[in-house]
Amino acid sequence: MEPDFYRIIESPATLQPYVRRLMVADCVKPIDMAVTPAPTGYNYLGWIFAGQATITVNSQTMTPVANLLHVSGQIQHQDISVQYHGRLGHIIAECTATGFYQLTGIPGQDVAGYSGPLPPNSTIPVDRFEALCSGVEFLEKSDRSEEHTSELQS
């Protein structure tokens, strides 16, 4: 289930070989909500640019650090919940079947059921990283306010 505060954005052309779609939450009004993500069969790269979310996978809790990429691997049989706290700014890239590996150099099975920081063995090549950044530039040019655009740039 996707919380209704996420907007679905078609992946920009530069990201389409790697990213199926982008999901963007930009909630200025504080929220306090728990969500149980459903299995989709895809891996995700996420970036929290404001606020906080706490992720619990099989009783292990982690809080993604703002302004750093985090990974959510395929859900299989894990018990997963996400708790959103206060203001939330979050971009999630739903990777294509091979896109996660192409962007990070990490086989999908290595992050199945994992949710946390981008693993240190990631080999995001410069051109793939630039493609990811092009997606962020696309978001900055979409219908976001100047206030929130400046948050993305900082």
Side-chain angles (χ1 to χ4, degrees):
M1 176 180 110
E2 293 168 1
D4 60 7
F5 47 82
Y6 279 95
R7 289 184 298 135
I8 305 299
I9 297 177
E10 183 179 337
S11 183
T14 55
L15 288 177
Q16 286 179 0
Y18 319 106
V19 175
R20 291 173 30 94
R21 62 184 179 159
L22 297 166
M23 294 168 275
V24 180
D26 193 1
C27 303
V28 177
K29 182 180 174 184
I31 58 173
D32 189 12
M33 167 188 252
V35 176
T36 301
T40 63
Y42 298 102
N43 293 313
Y44 296 84
L45 289 171
W47 180 49
I48 293 180
F49 60 89
Q52 179 178 329
T54 302
I55 302 166
T56 304
V57 180
N58 294 333
S59 301
Q60 292 190 317
T61 300
M62 64 87 57
T63 301
V65 177
N67 295 317
L68 292 178
L69 282 175
H70 64 87
V71 172
S72 295
Q74 287 184 24
I75 298 171
Q76 295 169 328
H77 307 288
Q78 296 80 17
D79 178 23
I80 300 176
S81 68
V82 181
Q83 178 73 42
Y84 298 98
H85 314 278
R87 164 138 171 46
L88 179 65
H90 193 198
I91 298 171
I92 304 171
E94 183 179 78
C95 295
T96 62
T98 59
F100 182 81
Y101 176 76
Q102 291 172 314
L103 284 169
T104 66
I106 299 171
Q109 69 264 20
D110 289 0
V111 294
Y114 171 80
S115 195
L118 190 63
N121 60 333
S122 173
T123 58
I124 296 181
V126 173
D127 63 332
R128 301 301 190 259
F129 186 72
E130 287 174 355
L132 188 61
C133 291
S134 295
V136 174
E137 289 171 16
F138 167 81
L139 292 173
E140 291 174 0
K141 294 175 185 172
S142 69
D143 61 346
R144 301 175 56 77
S145 71
E146 287 183 26
E147 170 192 346
H148 298 122
T149 299
S150 66
E151 289 179 35
L152 282 171
Q153 294 170 340
S154 60

